[in-house]
Structures are given as C-alpha cells and as structure tokens.
C-alpha cells in the first residue's frame, strides 16, 4: 500500500537526509547512505543501507520504503534494481545552486510540507544574497578548486557558483556546466597558467595532503603555493549538493578567501 505523504523513506545520498531533518520530517527516514553525517545524530538514529554507487538492495527492500530518494546517473544502476522491484523512486539531478534550492522545495512537496520547505529555501536564498552583497576588496582572488588529485578535476557547478558568491573568481568557470567529473579534468599546466591565488581542495572524502600539491612540478611559482594558501574543505561540507554546501561549505570558502575578515 502506498501512503501520502510517504511514511518510510530511504535516502541514498546525504543532502536529502539533511533536508528532511531541517524540515522536522526525520521520523520518515528508515535508511540512509553510509556517507550521511549531518546532523551528527543521524549516524546513531538511522540504519545505513548504501555507499554512493552501490546499495544493499535486500536491506533496502526489508525496510519496506514507500519512497527512495537518489541522486544522478551515478546511482542509475541502484535505482534500476529498485524500480524493477516495484519501489517508488525519485532521482534528483541538481548540479547548481538553483537546483539545490529546487531540491529542497521538491523534498518538502514530496512529504507534504511544501510551505515549510519554501520558507527554508527562501532563507538560504536570502543568506546567499547577503553574502554575495558583502563589500570585498578588489581585485577578486583567483581560486582553483580541486575535487580530485589524480587526475586533477576542477569544481562542479554549485562549487564554482559558491566561490563567486564568496567574492572569489573561479579560474575555470567554463567547466562549471559539465556535470561529469571526467569532463572537468584539467592539466597541471593549465592550473599553472591560470595562476590561482587560493587553492581549495576537497578530494571526494580522501584527506587532502597540501605537500603533494606543493611538490607538483612547476607549481612552486603559482601564487597560492608560494603564499601557502592551500586550504582543505571537508567533503561533507562542499561536495554534497544540499544545505551543507549553502551554509558551512560557503562559510568555509569565505574563511579561506578572506581570513583577515573572519
């Protein structure tokens, strides 16, 4: 039997988990991604049923979900198995700030609290506008965001946008619309030529090692390396397209770009 709003939801990525908690609808969640860490109590309260590109399908089925929330083509294989098993699935595909805000509103609509979700999204939107309007010194610091180190992969859409909102200039803005990581591969020479003044790194859950960045051939003449402005931003803050990126993720970028003003 299907229920509306759905009473039993499995979230295969972390941003829908955080959104449901912020909406006060966490009691509907019966299973989460192993990467879900926000809010901290989720690790105690909810059973983990998936990684990012794999899931324990029997475990998901045993939870008898009314709805499974997933993200992007990267989870297409998991989703296909669930659909064949007769489970209702909603797959989000947000890759930019507007998409994140739409995801929040959609999650709210799916659980019957569209008005509350609208207020939440409006609040985030106003916060982004306030930070974007903050007076900053000129010129804008040039920023290279490194999402992976081998090969070098530059920041996805929402990350590039948040750099600009924080008062920086992404050195590879033309890549922000490429949703696939392989389409955002850059060469070490291209980064050298771009001459970023700040390097932000978040290696998809792997710990960033600044010395490895410093020791790359010819990178000692990059301003960010020369001036020791290599900053790790933890993956859960910036690489999940949800509330975390719009709050703590953006704050971390602001702190990295404007340390004297924090």
């Amino acid at each position: 039997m299907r229920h509306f709003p759905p009473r039993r939801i499995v979230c295969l990525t972390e941003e829908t988990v955080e959104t449901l908690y912020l909406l006060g609808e966490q009691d509907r969640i019966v299973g989460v991604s192993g990467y879900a860490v926000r809010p901290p109590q989720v690790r105690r309260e909810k059973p983990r049923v998936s990684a990012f590109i794999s899931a324990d399908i029997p475990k998901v089925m045993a939870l008898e979900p009314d709805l499974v929330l997933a993200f992007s083509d990267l989870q297409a294989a998991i989703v296909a198995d669930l659909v064949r098993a007769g489970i209702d699935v909603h797959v989000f595909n947000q890759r930019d700030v507007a998409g994140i805000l739409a995801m929040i509103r959609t999650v709210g609509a799916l659980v019957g609290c569209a008005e509350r979700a609208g207020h939440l999204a409006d609040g985030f939107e106003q916060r982004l506008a306030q930070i974007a309007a903050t007076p900053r010194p000129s010129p804008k610091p040039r920023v290279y965001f490194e999402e992976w180190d081998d090969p070098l992969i530059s920041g996805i859409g929402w990350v590039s946008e948040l750099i600009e909102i924080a008062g920086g200039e992404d050195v590879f803005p033309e890549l922000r619309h490429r949703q696939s990581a392989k389409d955002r591969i850059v060469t070490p020479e291209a980064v050298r030529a771009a001459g970023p003044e700040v390097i932000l790194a978040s290696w998809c859950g792997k710990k960033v090692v600044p010395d490895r960045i410093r020791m790359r051939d010819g990178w000692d003449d990059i301003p960010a390396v020369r001036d020791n402005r290599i900053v790790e931003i933890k993956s859960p803050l910036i690489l999940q397209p949800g509330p975390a990126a719009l709050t703590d993720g953006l704050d971390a970028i602001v702190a990295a770009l404007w340390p004297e003003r924090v």
Side-chain angles (χ1 to χ4, degrees):
M1 182 186 294
R2 296 288 193 261
H3 300 283
F4 184 83
R7 296 175 186 173
R8 302 178 63 80
I9 299 175
V10 169
C11 300
L12 299 182
T13 53
E14 58 269 47
E15 63 279 352
T16 50
V17 173
E18 183 172 14
T19 299
L20 286 166
Y21 268 88
L22 289 171
L23 293 173
E25 298 292 334
Q26 65 271 17
D27 288 350
R28 300 182 188 278
I29 303 172
V30 293
V32 299
S33 157
Y35 293 102
V37 295
R38 294 171 62 94
Q41 64 265 35
V42 72
R43 296 182 75 86
R44 300 190 308 271
E45 294 177 352
K46 307 296 179 182
R48 283 170 274 179
V49 297
S50 69
F52 188 56
I53 56 173
S54 64
D56 187 332
I57 300 297
K59 200 169 182 179
V60 173
M61 297 294 297
L63 293 170
E64 300 182 341
D66 300 314
L67 177 66
V68 172
L69 300 178
F71 173 71
S72 87
D73 56 305
L74 295 170
Q75 296 193 322
I78 305 172
V79 166
D81 287 342
L82 292 170
V83 170
R84 290 188 193 104
I87 301 295
D88 284 359
V89 179
H90 185 99
V91 184
F92 289 99
N93 239 321
Q94 71 274 20
R95 312 284 179 142
D96 54 20
V97 169
I100 294 172
L101 295 168
M103 177 275 293
I104 292 166
R105 292 185 168 101
T106 302
V107 168
L110 288 169
V111 298
C113 63
E115 187 175 355
R116 215 177 319 144
H119 289 317
L120 181 64
D122 289 346
F124 287 141
E125 214 161 10
Q126 288 162 14
R127 184 176 190 274
L128 295 175
Q130 286 170 353
I131 291 172
T134 302
R136 310 280 187 198
S138 292
K140 295 178 178 180
R142 292 169 55 73
V143 182
Y144 164 56
F145 186 94
E146 187 168 288
E147 192 177 296
W148 193 245
D149 63 324
D150 185 21
L152 305 185
I153 296 175
S154 68
I156 198 167
W158 70 84
V159 175
S160 179
E161 287 181 82
L162 292 174
I163 286 168
E164 291 186 356
I165 289 168
E169 179 185 341
D170 181 2
V171 296
F172 297 117
E174 70 282 1
L175 300 183
R176 73 164 59 160
H177 301 299
R178 300 183 186 178
Q179 64 181 41
S180 173
K182 65 180 171 51
D183 294 330
R184 288 181 278 112
I185 293 173
V186 296
T187 65
E189 293 73 26
V191 179
R192 280 183 63 191
E197 292 151 304
V198 181
I199 294 175
L200 304 178
S202 186
W203 291 350
C204 282
K206 183 173 72 173
K207 184 169 177 54
V208 171
V209 184
D211 279 346
R212 279 197 214 155
I213 296 174
R214 289 188 194 99
M215 292 183 333
R216 290 173 187 160
D217 190 35
W219 278 37
D220 51 353
D221 61 356
I222 293 176
V225 175
R226 190 180 62 229
D227 299 336
N228 198 30
R229 296 193 69 184
I230 302 170
V231 180
E232 177 180 17
I233 297 181
K234 300 292 185 187
S235 298
L237 301 187
I238 195 64
L239 293 185
Q240 59 130 309
L246 304 185
T247 55
D248 294 349
L250 176 55
D251 290 349
I253 295 174
V254 171
L257 300 194
W258 312 105
E260 68 284 355
R261 294 181 165 234
V262 176

